[in-house]
Amino acid sequence: MLDLNDKQSKIISFIQDYYNEFGISPTVREIQNGCNITSTSVVDYNLKALKNKGYLDKRPDISRAIKLNNINDNFFRIPILSSIAAGEPLIVNPEQISDPESYDDYVELPNNFSKEKKLFALRVKGDSMIDALISNNDIVIMKPANEAGNGEMIAAWLPANEEVTLKRFYLRNNKVELHSENPKYDPIVVDPQNVLIKGKVVGVIRKV
Amino acid sequence: MLDLNDKQSKIISFIQDYYNEFGISPTVREIQNGCNITSTSVVDYNLKALKNKGYLDKRPDISRAIKLNNINDNFFRIPILSSIAAGEPLIVNPEQISDPESYDDYVELPNNFSKEKKLFALRVKGDSMIDALISNNDIVIMKPANEAGNGEMIAAWLPANEEVTLKRFYLRNNKVELHSENPKYDPIVVDPQNVLIKGKVVGVIRKV
DNA sequence: CTACTGTATATATATACAGTAG
DNA sequence: CTACTGTATATATATACAGTAG
């Protein structure tokens, strides 16, 4: 995508927000007022520029016919932060996800999947959760969380190993036990300060 | 929902179709022409009636501000026809699904889930596919199909048992073998004429 | 009452146009 | 050239209004 100046990105945001609120696109005049622009000509001028840059489409002479090229109002996008149990660290904290649009790898979920929209996803690598019916390449949908109850399926960051892993959480005798759902793998037992819970599993998606 | 007369359901369909094509709602005049209505007043009159009946909403004096109350353009709805391996027959053939909107039980999938939109879904009952990582209450997304290749996961109708079952398909020595993915269950071996393939599994969705 | 016909009209709206500044 | 200012204007558009028919 080509760069946008301040005015143009403000126009895009305004159209997006207006669309989210009303389900239709704003008029040139509404953009003018909403973005504090001096005249409709300037809006027109910048809309043409945005059209040339590929950010939107417009039907001529038709009211409210601006269409942003990546508008999606009926499902929400959550980023696939990284793979898990594959040695790669989570690049960012799930709490710090600012703009899901900026991630290349994502899944889109219908709005009725969950009321909670601040979810993220991880692609599962390996077979450690096979007995929980989660296999290699499945996408797990996660809700950000810092703590967990016994038996909950969580993604945890292990600083010692520098990896994120998908496990069932148990706190026993002041130790955190992370259980795989595969008899091949023994539980990981660590002190609580050596494990950082990143989120809880709220769904699984697999394409066959 | 209250009943609609011919003209009003035609108007609703026209708005829906127009929206699907252009991503915005039509004007009163476009509805007039598209539905062969004599004057804009009649459109206005019927739009008010439709608003009162709850079929749409409208912002006054605003162009193209009609919003159908159940418009969904970014994901598609597929019906959950019934449960499988639970003794209940499939009520209809998946090929005969006319209007996915008319089913009470459904899942909504983002448009990018599959190019094929004529899918249906079944809710899994039982543990016969546990080794394929499909468990009780999972929803399997199916593509309608009448035949299958060896090893494919299919939903099949067994007239003798009057049930739909989820199995892996194998054709060996002129017999159809339907294999569970659970060592607890023996394969079902039947003559080809005693089994009707209904669809192939294309996805699995589970909410935790 | 409901369900229109036919016409008029105010305004919502996109866009053109003549300048201006760097 | 780019990026505006300020104004004008054609038309796109929603809606009102006076009737009419059953």
Side-chain angles (χ1 to χ4, degrees), chain A residues 33-190:
Chain A
N33 296 327
C35 300
N36 295 309
I37 292 171
T38 45
S39 104
T40 58
S41 327
V42 177
V43 178
D44 190 50
Y45 178 85
N46 283 289
L47 286 177
K48 276 180 185 138
L50 287 165
K51 187 176 174 178
N52 285 334
K53 290 179 186 171
Y55 283 87
L56 52 83
D57 269 317
K58 233 174 130 302
R59 287 165 69 200
D61 297 316
I62 303 294
S63 303
R64 300 174 177 278
I66 297 166
K67 267 182 79 177
L68 291 187
N69 274 337
N70 52 358
I71 220 163
N72 282 320
D73 63 329
N74 283 321
F75 50 112
F76 62 108
R77 186 173 285 195
I78 66 173
I80 300 177
L81 293 188
S82 80
S83 303
I84 44 181
E88 306 166 43
L90 264 187
I91 293 136
V92 293
N93 272 322
E95 297 90 29
Q96 291 164 354
I97 302 161
S98 50
D99 180 17
E101 305 292 322
S102 65
Y103 292 86
D104 285 341
D105 207 10
Y106 58 86
V107 280
E108 276 169 330
L109 300 174
N111 277 335
N112 69 349
F113 186 88
S114 167
K115 266 176 211 155
E116 177 65 62
K117 303 299 182 210
K118 288 199 177 294
L119 304 174
F120 63 101
L122 299 170
R123 189 176 295 276
V124 175
K125 293 293 169 194
D127 59 355
S128 71
M129 296 312 278
I130 201 90
D131 285 352
L133 307 177
I134 297 174
S135 83
N136 193 38
N137 275 327
D138 282 4
I139 292 166
V140 285
I141 314 298
M142 315 278 312
K143 186 166 87 176
N146 298 314
E147 44 186 22
N150 274 350
E152 287 190 309
M153 203 184 297
I154 55 145
W157 168 243
L158 293 171
N161 307 21
E162 288 204 326
E163 69 170 22
V164 174
T165 184
L166 191 66
K167 293 280 187 292
R168 283 207 189 273
F169 174 92
Y170 296 94
L171 185 62
R172 283 174 187 155
N173 309 319
N174 261 335
K175 293 276 189 179
V176 169
E177 298 181 11
L178 299 174
H179 289 241
S180 291
E181 290 264 359
N182 186 332
K184 284 201 309 197
Y185 302 106
D186 290 328
I188 297 171
V189 182
V190 290

Side-chain angles (χ1 to χ4, degrees), chain B residues 4-179:
Chain B
L4 295 176
N5 60 35
D6 279 1
K7 190 166 284 174
Q8 286 170 359
S9 51
K10 203 169 173 185
I11 289 175
I12 294 279
S13 307
F14 179 79
I15 296 171
Q16 179 90 57
D17 292 348
Y18 191 100
Y19 191 87
N20 287 340
E21 183 169 357
F22 296 109
I24 58 177
S25 291
T27 64
V28 171
R29 231 154 292 249
E30 284 166 337
I31 297 169
Q32 185 199 348
N33 295 328
C35 299
N36 295 309
I37 291 171
T38 44
S39 105
T40 56
S41 328
V42 177
V43 178
D44 190 49
Y45 177 85
N46 283 289
L47 286 178
K48 276 180 185 138
L50 286 165
K51 187 176 174 177
N52 285 333
K53 290 179 188 172
Y55 282 87
L56 52 82
D57 268 316
K58 234 176 130 300
R59 287 164 69 201
D61 296 318
I62 302 294
S63 302
R64 300 175 177 277
I66 298 166
K67 268 182 79 177
L68 292 187
N69 273 337
N70 52 357
I71 221 163
N72 281 322
D73 63 328
N74 283 320
F75 52 110
F76 61 108
R77 185 173 285 197
I78 66 173
I80 300 177
L81 294 188
S82 78
S83 303
I84 44 181
E88 307 166 43
L90 265 186
I91 293 136
V92 293
N93 272 323
E95 297 90 30
Q96 290 163 354
I97 302 161
S98 50
D99 179 18
E101 305 292 324
S102 65
Y103 292 86
D104 283 342
D105 207 10
Y106 58 85
V107 279
E108 277 170 329
L109 300 173
N111 277 336
N112 69 349
F113 186 88
S114 167
K115 268 176 209 153
E116 177 66 61
K117 302 299 181 211
K118 287 199 178 294
L119 305 174
F120 64 101
L122 298 171
R123 190 176 294 277
V124 176
K125 292 295 168 192
D127 60 355
S128 71
M129 297 311 278
I130 201 90
D131 284 353
L133 307 177
I134 297 173
S135 83
N136 192 37
N137 276 327
D138 283 4
I139 291 165
V140 285
I141 314 297
M142 314 279 312
K143 186 167 86 175
N146 299 314
E147 43 186 25
N150 274 350
E152 286 190 310
M153 203 184 297
I154 56 144
W157 168 244
L158 293 171
N161 307 19
E162 289 203 324
E163 69 169 23
V164 175
T165 184
L166 190 66
K167 293 281 187 292
R168 284 207 189 272
F169 175 91
Y170 295 95
L171 184 64
R172 284 174 186 155
N173 308 320
N174 262 335
K175 293 276 190 181
V176 169
E177 298 180 11
L178 299 175
H179 289 242

